[in-house]
Amino acid sequence: MLNVMPKPLKSQAVESIRNAIIQGVLKNDEMITEKLVKEKFGISRTPFREAIQLLEAQGWVYTVPYTGTYVKPITMTDIDEVFEMRSIIESSIVRFLQERKISIDELKLVMKNMEDRMEDFSDYEFMQEDQAFHYKLYELTNNKRLISVYNQVSDMMLRIGVNVLYKKERRLEVIKEHNDIVKGLENGTGDKEIITHLEKTKKTFISVYENMK
Amino acid sequence: MLNVMPKPLKSQAVESIRNAIIQGVLKNDEMITEKLVKEKFGISRTPFREAIQLLEAQGWVYTVPYTGTYVKPITMTDIDEVFEMRSIIESSIVRFLQERKISIDELKLVMKNMEDRMEDFSDYEFMQEDQAFHYKLYELTNNKRLISVYNQVSDMMLRIGVNVLYKKERRLEVIKEHNDIVKGLENGTGDKEIITHLEKTKKTFISVYENMK
């Protein structure tokens, strides 16, 4: 059966504004006005206001009373917290997969695709493929609640990483580190390998972030 | 400065309905009508509808088209997923606190209060104190994003546990298991202890759950 229900206007508005922030069309601390959003995305007053409320609750924008709404910049604390949280949760997920001897064939497929198409990927596509690898770890737990935790961090990862992160040099490293995790999952050291990988990724993020200022 | 802003009607409505579900005033699969909610909580049509939308997204209620909105029952899958998720995340948090040698004085204070007032607590209060212990573990990481993960599971824990869980027999066990975790945090075995504690708690939950049917 085809899904022919149109998305509610509010969801469309949230998605448009969030994508514009992730892709850097709306810049840090840029003011988001009804006029701008109407011109750029054809979104009218009511869904705009509803969307802004939600985006503020989710930490994408901030409002200064009587002044306006702005794109909330990512801080060093955000980067620290997201990587620390991922390190805590993902190392434990890997340990869980190791202990239960859960099949990681699907993870290997993600890696095969990443390696085969490494040269063709745009930066954005490579980053998405990197995310697909980590997402698969959560998915292999088969625990919907854990998977929803991943969704909470993935948008911010996209937003920090989108522009400059996946330079060709880093691609080979990422592939090697991912393969170390896959091997580690088979011999019981994957939890250590993923902590190493996340530490290296965080370092790249920070150096990119420092250069953006 | 006193906070004199009244809560928005929608938030009040969400809170009233959620508390009624947690405390069993609204029962599993019970229909929630505008009339009922107006009579019970004095909530009018618009905030009611907005609240229901949000509660449905959060998994508290379900809607049957052209029929009505009902209290979503907790399933065995919910219990499995929540405990598995907590086991994965909390064991890793304990490992993190151990490795960084973070002070657990505040955790000991929670335990002292739990022990001192054990006899005075109502079931509901004892359960809240139990939650305060686990919440403190997340809080000691000082990572806002991890703390928000806790908030996502705590409501469901309250809802399952509220009526029958903290019988006096289990109280002594909970206190012993918590003290084992505290000791374990000091000698590096807390991650094992918390897994044991969560497994035992899950067993109690399931036996209660089976008896509720």
Side-chain angles (χ1 to χ4, degrees), chain B residues 111-212:
Chain B
M111 278 319 292
K112 183 162 171 17
N113 189 45
M114 195 176 204
E115 286 176 309
D116 288 351
R117 301 191 44 211
M118 185 184 102
E119 299 291 336
D120 315 330
F121 279 137
S122 69
D123 290 352
Y124 192 74
E125 286 167 339
F126 188 82
M127 189 172 55
Q128 287 186 308
E129 199 62 18
D130 185 7
Q131 291 225 339
F133 179 85
H134 291 273
Y135 180 74
K136 185 54 80 182
L137 290 173
Y138 289 77
E139 214 181 34
L140 287 174
T141 66
N142 201 21
N143 185 318
K144 280 195 305 296
R145 287 164 198 269
L146 266 176
I147 296 170
S148 92
V149 169
Y150 180 77
N151 290 327
Q152 291 163 42
V153 295
S154 65
D155 283 337
M156 209 200 89
M157 297 298 293
L158 274 179
R159 192 177 158 200
I160 314 181
V162 72
N163 289 311
V164 258
L165 193 57
Y166 289 90
K167 294 167 292 203
K168 301 270 153 138
E169 316 86 90
R170 180 73 187 133
R171 292 191 186 191
L172 280 173
E173 290 173 4
V174 167
I175 287 174
K176 186 190 170 306
E177 289 158 28
H178 280 191
N179 280 329
D180 289 343
I181 296 166
V182 172
K183 267 180 259 155
L185 270 157
E186 291 176 321
N187 64 29
T189 60
D191 48 328
K192 306 272 180 298
E193 298 293 352
I194 200 159
I195 290 174
T196 307
H197 169 56
L198 288 171
E199 273 167 10
K200 287 193 184 157
T201 308
K202 183 183 172 185
K203 267 190 200 145
T204 320
F205 266 61
I206 289 177
S207 72
V208 169
Y209 176 80
E210 294 291 343
N211 285 330
M212 278 165 67

Side-chain angles (χ1 to χ4, degrees), chain B residues 41-99:
Chain B
F41 316 113
I43 293 164
S44 60
R45 188 192 173 96
T46 306
F48 169 77
R49 297 207 162 173
E50 290 175 352
I52 289 296
Q53 268 196 327
L54 191 68
L55 288 164
E56 186 160 13
Q58 293 176 346
W60 292 86
V61 303
Y62 64 96
T63 298
V64 180
Y66 307 111
T67 314
T69 299
Y70 304 85
V71 176
K72 193 168 174 182
I74 288 169
T75 65
M76 192 60 95
T77 309
D78 288 324
I79 297 179
D80 276 339
E81 285 193 352
V82 165
F83 276 97
E84 186 178 272
M85 173 177 173
R86 291 188 58 191
S87 189
I88 288 178
I89 294 178
E90 292 179 26
S91 64
S92 207
I93 285 177
V94 166
R95 208 172 289 121
F96 174 86
L97 299 176
Q98 285 169 181
E99 282 166 9

Side-chain angles (χ1 to χ4, degrees), chain A residues 78 81-82 84-85 88-89 91-93 95-96 100 141-146 148-149 152 156, chain B residues 78 81-82 84-85 88-89 91-93 95-96 100 141-146 148-149 152 156:
Chain A
D78 290 323
E81 286 195 350
V82 165
E84 186 179 270
M85 173 179 174
I88 287 178
I89 295 179
S91 63
S92 207
I93 285 177
R95 208 173 289 122
F96 174 87
R100 308 256 168 140
T141 66
N142 201 23
N143 185 319
K144 282 196 304 296
R145 286 164 199 270
L146 267 176
S148 92
V149 169
Q152 292 164 42
M156 208 200 91
Chain B
D78 288 324
E81 285 193 352
V82 165
E84 186 178 272
M85 173 177 173
I88 288 178
I89 294 178
S91 64
S92 207
I93 285 177
R95 208 172 289 121
F96 174 86
R100 308 257 169 141
T141 66
N142 201 21
N143 185 318
K144 280 195 305 296
R145 287 164 198 269
L146 266 176
S148 92
V149 169
Q152 291 163 42
M156 209 200 89

Side-chain angles (χ1 to χ4, degrees), chain A residues 151-169:
Chain A
N151 290 327
Q152 292 164 42
V153 295
S154 66
D155 283 337
M156 208 200 91
M157 297 298 293
L158 274 177
R159 191 178 159 200
I160 314 181
V162 71
N163 289 312
V164 257
L165 195 56
Y166 289 90
K167 295 166 289 200
K168 302 271 154 139
E169 317 85 88

